[in-house]
Each structure stands twice: as C-alpha cells, then as structure tokens.
Amino acid sequence: MYLRRKILSRMSDAWMLITLAMIILLPLIIGVALYFRASGLLQNTGLIHLLGTSEWLPHEKKFGFVPFIFSSLYVTTLAFAFSAPISFFAAIYLTQFSHGRMLKIMQPVIDILAGIPSVVYGVWGILVIVPFVSKVVAPAFHFTTSGYSILAGGMVLAVMCIPYMLNMLVESFLTVPQGLKEASFSLGATAWESVKHAVIRKSFPGIISSFGLGMAKAFGETLAVMMVVGNMVKLSLNPLEAGYPLPALIANNFGEMMSIPMYDSALMFAAFLLFIIIMAINLIFRYFIYKTQMR
Amino acid sequence: MTLDIIKNIENSEILLTNCIFEEVEKNETILKIENLNVYAKKEHILKNINLEIPKNKITVLLGPSGCGKTTLLKSLNRLTDLYKELKVSGHIFIENDDILASKQNTSVLRQKMGLLSQRPYPLPYSIYKNVAYGIKLKGIKNKKLIEFNVEKKLREVGLWEEVKDRLHSSPESLSIGQQQRLCLARGLAVKPRIILADEPTSALDPVSSKIIENLFKELKKHYTIILVTHVLRQAQRLADHVVFMNYGEVIEQGSSKEIFSNPQTSQLKEYLIEGN
C-alpha cells in the first residue's frame, strides 16, 4: 500500500517536471529551429547586410529587412500610443470611481471584445478605419492616400489591444487592498491623490507587465494589420503611407514564390527576427518589473 | 531661521498640551453622535446610535464580530462615502461641526481623525516617505520642517530608534508590529484630534500588542482614542469609557468600572462571562 502511494507520488513528480521542461524548452526549440532554417541566408548575405539595408529584391538576392522591422515597430508604437492611455484611464475609472455594477457589466463586454477573431477586426478596419483615414485624416493634412496605411494598421491594432490590456489592468488594480485606499483617504487625501499614491504605485509592476504583454501581442499580430496596412515595401516616416510589417511578410509569402532561391530562408529569418524582438520586448519589461519591485 | 520656527512650534505645542490637560479636568465631550443610522441596501447595520465620546479618554467599542463597530468607526471619518451601497443618516458633531453634513470638506474633516486599521497598510513608499506623505497632505512643504516632523512622529510612536538607519528602505522590511506603529505615526502626522483604532492589535503578536497598548495609554494625554476591539482583556486594560454594541445597537455604555463590575443587561453579562 505504502509502496504504491510512493510510486504514484514519484510518478506525479516526474510528470510535472516533464511538463514544466516542455514549457521551458518549447521556445528554445522554436528559436533554434528558426535559426537553422534561416542560416542559409545568414551565411550567404551576412547579418549586417540583412539588418542594415532596405532593398528588398528577392530576384536579385537582395534581402534588406529594414522596411519590415521599421513598419512593425511603427505600427506597434502607434497602437501602443493610442491604446495604453485609453485602457489605463478606463481601468482606473472602472475599478476606482465607477459603481461596482458598472464593472460587472463591463467585464463580459471586455471579454467579448478580447475574444473577437482578428479577421473580424480586419474587416471592420477595411470598412471603417481605412475610409476614415483616406477621407477624413488624410485630407486634413493635404495628403492623398488609399487609406491602407501604417496609421490604419495602428488604429486597428489599438482597438484590438485595448480589451486585452484593459483586462490585465483591471485585474491588477483590483488586487490593491481596500485598506490601503482607506488609509490614504483617512489622511485627508483626495480620491485622485489616493489613486495616484496608493493604487497606481502599488500596482506598478502590474501596469508595466500589462503594457509589455500588450505591446508584444501588438507586435506579433498578423491578420488584422495585414488587411489594412497596405503591404508595400516602403520606408517612410509618414504614417499615411503604406507599410509592410514582419508578420504580414511571412503570412503573405509563405508557401509561394518558393522557386526563388533563398526566399524560404529569408522568411524563416523574418520569423526568427519576430521571435527575437518579441522576446526582447518581454525581457525589457521583465527588467522594469524587477526594478520597480526592488524599490 | 528654521530652527527658530521649529522651536516656536514646539513651544506652542507645549502650550497646547497644557491647555488639553486643563480641559481633561472638565471631562469634556469631543464627539457627539445623534441618531446615526446606516443602511446597506435593505440591511439596517447601525440602529439609532446616540453617543458622546469624552475627550482625552480611551473609549472602547466592545461587542461581537459583525455588530457594526467597524461601520460606526468608518462613519466617523466618512470612509462610508467610499462604499456607495451604504446610506448614512443622522448627525455626528465634532466641536459643533456636523461631520455628516454634505457640504463638509472631507479632506479637512478626515484629518481630524487618524485611522489605524486591523492590519498595517503602509503606502508603497519608503518608511520616511510614508510619514512625510501625511505631513505633506497637511500642506507643509518646507523640507527641513518635514524632516523634523517625521522624526518627531516616529519618536512619538517609539519607532525612531529602530528605523533611523533605514529610513529610506521599504516598510516591508519592518515587522508587522513596527509597520503598525509606522501607520500610527503616519496618521499622527496630520495632527488629528481623535485616533480611530479598528482592532489595531488583531494581527500582532503579544509583544507588539503590548507596545501598542502602552502607546495608547501615553497618547491619550494628547489625543482622544476610540478603540474597537473584541478582546475583552484588552478592553479592561485600556478603557476609560466603554460602549457595548450588539446587532447594530448600543446596548450599554458607561465608565469602565461600571460596565465591567456592574453590567446591567443580560447581553453584556453573557458577553463578559463568555469573554472571561
């Protein structure tokens, strides 16, 4: 009897260890595999050339990734700039100022928004955001565009990120104990002072990690962005011009044009870049969290 | 220059303290509660409370859990405003000023009371900044003056010697008992008249509890203390005046001597027997 229990216990230990190892190893395996698939291009062209030039002419074996990296970063930054303040203040209002009933109503709404497939957001972007950009935003700046642009991508992405970040922010603000707020109020602080010094400060790591995860998600989002961003290899600071983010490059071309030498390898390299950049975003935000927790 | 100011302040506080001592003799009332009713939705939490809280005494609110002691305490500095489901009616006068009147400046009003809750809730700042937070909310901006006051308040709660070398580290490095005294210092920093203590020792070990109790005995010279507790022995050790509550009502009140040696109602008698 005892032996059986002991064996069972050992087995469950081993099982948990294996699953844990799988979770840890998986990203590593993906990274290594992508690197090896991309190594053909790396040996042929060299890393500096790939990351330092902006010419994309696969037929001539010219693979400059700068426009793609730039587009990705641009779209993500715009999306972040639109969505972070909105979700931040919405979360503060929902958890600190509104009636408790409001939060109960909003929570399923947020969940539904977060659960809408990205293709739906893409279609909505084509129907609403793209015309909005071409007919309202662009004329205001005396510019003509089809509307399929970095800006449209950023706006669609922002709308997609809001429920995602809002959810995490609400969670982290709700963990601030009521007693802490009461302590601040009882010292004569106003509602905003209490929110600023007690709630926001206490949930700082939570805020940073919501922003970080939101950004990483935005960076990797493929379909909806691809549908509205124009998909043209360009390098322009003007957000009304079209762009071509990394995920769109992979999704648009994978499985096609494989007759071109090195193309397959170039797409793998794009995936590898995406992987590395998202990992870097995560690590940077981890570091911020670590720093803020140390204070 | 600043030292002069500081000395002046100290002198005036000594004067103030003397005044307080004179007032003690008169057995003055600092807080008067009239017909206080609190409802939460359909539940009647506090039923027609009428109380007078004597100045510079420790008034103990005694009673079983869930009898409305904490709600009563929170009505006193309008923390009930934070709970939108609570409906409060009646009057609470502090020096002829009705706390529950809607026009009141709640910030100024809450600074008349220092709250000490069941668990310490230090703000996510350093030890120094926790106390300075209270001082700054009082409108003091002079750095030297803040520094002086932080030390003074930390000394007042007997924490200065223990933390003076690590003022800028996080309060989390302190024991729970020390954190509770830090919160008390932070509360005293806004110069309250009354200390509202909501079972302040319930999360503490016996030694830390003892320190807090002794502090209260010391602090009642300068402040009025309203202490919520369900620890009968603590009530007996500290109380000057006792209010016994049950099911949202004041069942019995009187001086500590009257209440503990000669209880009138059967409910209190039962509670005293159970507690001892």
Side-chain angles (χ1 to χ4, degrees):
Chain A
M1 193 60 195
Y2 174 70
L3 192 70
R4 194 171 149 251
R5 283 169 61 201
K6 204 165 177 183
I7 291 170
L8 259 177
S9 165
R10 278 279 161 80
M11 272 166 67
S12 62
D13 282 357
W15 176 238
M16 283 186 266
L17 200 69
I18 290 167
T19 47
L20 182 70
M22 272 168 69
I23 292 167
I24 295 169
L25 283 177
L26 205 59
L28 204 70
I29 293 169
I30 293 175
V32 170
L34 286 176
Y35 177 77
F36 277 113
R37 292 291 298 275
S39 61
L41 183 71
L42 276 170
Q43 276 159 12
N44 208 310
T45 321
L47 189 67
I48 296 159
H49 190 78
L50 289 174
L51 295 180
T53 59
S54 52
E55 264 185 313
W56 184 260
L57 299 162
H59 291 282
E60 296 170 25
K61 287 191 179 175
K62 282 182 177 163
F63 297 99
F65 277 92
V66 173
F68 302 101
I69 299 169
F70 177 78
S71 288
S72 271
L73 287 175
Y74 204 172
V75 172
T76 308
T77 313
L78 277 182
F80 185 72
F82 293 142
S83 61
I86 294 176
S87 23
F88 183 71
F89 288 108
I92 286 180
Y93 179 76
L94 272 179
T95 54
Q96 309 302 323
F97 293 96
S98 75
H99 202 285
R101 229 176 297 150
M102 182 84 162
L103 184 63
K104 277 205 187 107
I105 298 168
M106 280 305 287
Q107 227 142 23
V109 174
I110 298 169
D111 287 341
I112 290 167
L113 282 176
I116 294 177
S118 56
V119 65
V120 176
Y121 279 109
V123 171
W124 173 79
I126 292 172
L127 292 177
V128 179
I129 298 293
V130 171
F132 173 74
V133 170
S134 76
K135 293 200 179 105
V136 181
V137 182
F141 292 96
H142 306 293
F143 192 82
T144 35
T145 169
S146 63
Y148 290 92
S149 58
I150 297 270
L151 180 66
M155 283 163 83
V156 170
L157 205 47
V159 174
M160 292 178 74
C161 281
I162 285 171
Y164 188 72
M165 286 206 232
L166 190 56
N167 230 342
M168 287 187 286
L169 287 169
V170 165
E171 288 299 322
S172 79
F173 289 148
L174 284 180
T175 56
V176 176
Q178 184 69 17
L180 189 67
K181 276 183 268 172
E182 285 185 0
S184 174
F185 271 109
S186 73
L187 293 168
T190 59
W192 173 245
E193 282 166 339
S194 301
V195 165
K196 189 173 143 204
H197 294 288
V199 179
I200 294 179
R201 190 137 172 134
K202 186 82 182 174
S203 38
F204 213 77
I207 295 169
I208 300 275
S209 68
S210 331
F211 283 172
L213 288 172
M215 246 179 120
K217 181 190 151 76
F219 199 87
E221 172 54 41
T222 311
L223 197 60
V225 181
M226 193 169 97
M227 288 166 82
V228 298
V229 83
N231 300 332
M232 283 152 107
V233 187
K234 269 186 182 174
L235 196 62
S236 164
L237 272 174
N238 185 349
L240 295 168
E241 296 264 16
Y244 208 158
L246 277 171
L249 170 73
I250 304 166
N252 270 336
N253 298 303
F254 195 78
E256 294 175 22
M257 299 203 273
M258 287 305 174
S259 54
I260 301 168
M262 286 296 153
Y263 208 101
D264 167 64
S265 195
L267 292 184
M268 285 301 162
F269 182 69
F272 183 66
L273 268 181
L274 200 59
F275 180 81
I276 294 290
I277 294 172
I278 288 178
M279 208 154 77
I281 294 176
N282 271 313
L283 283 177
I284 290 167
F285 278 94
R286 277 275 137 223
Y287 176 75
F288 276 136
I289 295 167
Y290 171 77
K291 270 281 167 195
T292 48
Q293 276 171 342
M294 284 288 101
R295 278 197 309 207
Chain B
M1 176 63 193
T2 16
L3 265 179
D4 283 342
I5 301 174
I6 290 167
K7 271 176 194 160
N8 275 338
I9 292 166
E10 270 190 298
N11 285 340
S12 62
E13 282 195 3
I14 290 165
L15 281 176
L16 199 76
T17 322
N18 290 344
C19 291
I20 290 166
F21 274 129
E22 279 164 30
E23 283 164 15
V24 174
E25 309 287 321
K26 294 178 208 156
N27 216 352
E28 219 181 315
T29 301
I30 188 164
L31 198 77
K32 200 169 168 189
I33 303 170
E34 283 177 6
N35 302 325
L36 179 70
N37 279 289
V38 177
Y39 294 87
K41 284 170 189 159
K42 276 172 192 162
E43 213 182 327
H44 200 170
I45 302 181
L46 290 180
K47 297 167 190 160
N48 226 17
I49 306 283
N50 286 289
L51 276 180
E52 289 189 0
I53 308 290
K55 196 170 179 177
N56 291 90
K57 295 271 163 75
I58 299 179
T59 300
V60 168
L61 301 181
L62 193 67
S65 299
C67 72
K69 300 175 305 232
T70 301
T71 311
L72 176 58
L73 207 65
K74 283 184 181 170
S75 329
L76 297 184
N77 66 351
R78 284 194 44 178
L79 277 182
T80 42
D81 288 7
L82 302 187
Y83 302 88
K84 293 192 172 86
E85 67 274 14
L86 292 183
K87 290 226 160 21
V88 185
S89 68
H91 304 281
I92 301 171
F93 293 101
I94 178 166
E95 294 147 346
N96 297 324
D97 216 7
D98 190 356
I99 291 172
L100 295 181
S102 53
K103 279 185 211 155
Q104 285 289 359
N105 178 344
T106 39
S107 285
V108 172
L109 194 147
R110 286 189 181 127
Q111 289 185 338
K112 289 184 181 172
M113 331 237 175
L115 177 77
L116 197 59
S117 44
Q118 296 183 5
R119 285 193 37 210
Y121 287 108
L123 290 161
Y125 289 104
S126 67
I127 295 169
Y128 178 88
K129 279 190 178 167
N130 257 282
V131 186
Y133 183 66
I135 297 166
K136 281 181 193 159
L137 281 176
K138 200 68 190 170
I140 296 173
K141 293 207 174 75
N142 185 314
K143 242 184 156 182
K144 281 257 160 64
L145 209 56
I146 291 175
E147 227 166 84
F148 169 80
N149 268 307
V150 168
E151 180 178 340
K152 186 161 172 264
K153 295 300 160 188
L154 285 172
R155 278 190 194 283
E156 218 170 317
V157 298
L159 202 60
W160 176 252
E161 291 299 324
E162 294 161 50
V163 302
K164 65 179 178 190
D165 299 324
R166 45 173 170 162
L167 282 174
H168 297 285
S169 50
S170 157
E172 315 245 310
S173 64
L174 302 175
S175 76
I176 295 276
Q178 287 172 320
Q179 286 184 32
Q180 190 66 308
R181 276 186 285 150
L182 176 68
C183 290
L184 182 58
R186 181 182 65 189
L188 295 182
V190 297
K191 301 204 169 144
R193 315 292 305 271
I194 304 175
I195 297 170
L196 307 173
D198 185 6
E199 298 180 23
T201 60
S202 62
L204 306 188
D205 61 276
V207 179
S208 305
S209 303
K210 187 93 194 159
I211 295 174
I212 297 267
E213 284 185 16
N214 290 338
L215 256 175
F216 278 176
K217 284 181 197 159
E218 200 57 41
L219 287 171
K220 75 173 178 182
K221 289 175 194 161
H222 309 280
Y223 306 93
T224 303
I225 298 172
I226 304 177
L227 172 71
V228 165
T229 183
H230 54 225
V231 184
L232 198 56
R233 286 168 191 282
Q234 188 175 54
Q236 283 164 336
R237 281 194 295 267
L238 292 176
D240 298 308
H241 188 82
V242 180
V243 177
F244 176 68
M245 294 176 68
N246 206 359
Y247 301 112
E249 282 176 290
V250 173
I251 306 293
E252 214 177 318
Q253 60 165 314
S255 74
S256 164
K257 217 176 183 181
E258 287 165 11
I259 291 284
F260 291 126
S261 57
N262 190 17
Q264 301 296 316
T265 55
S266 58
Q267 284 184 59
L268 178 56
K269 277 177 197 164
E270 214 173 282
Y271 189 79
L272 291 179
I273 292 164
E274 295 279 330
N276 279 329

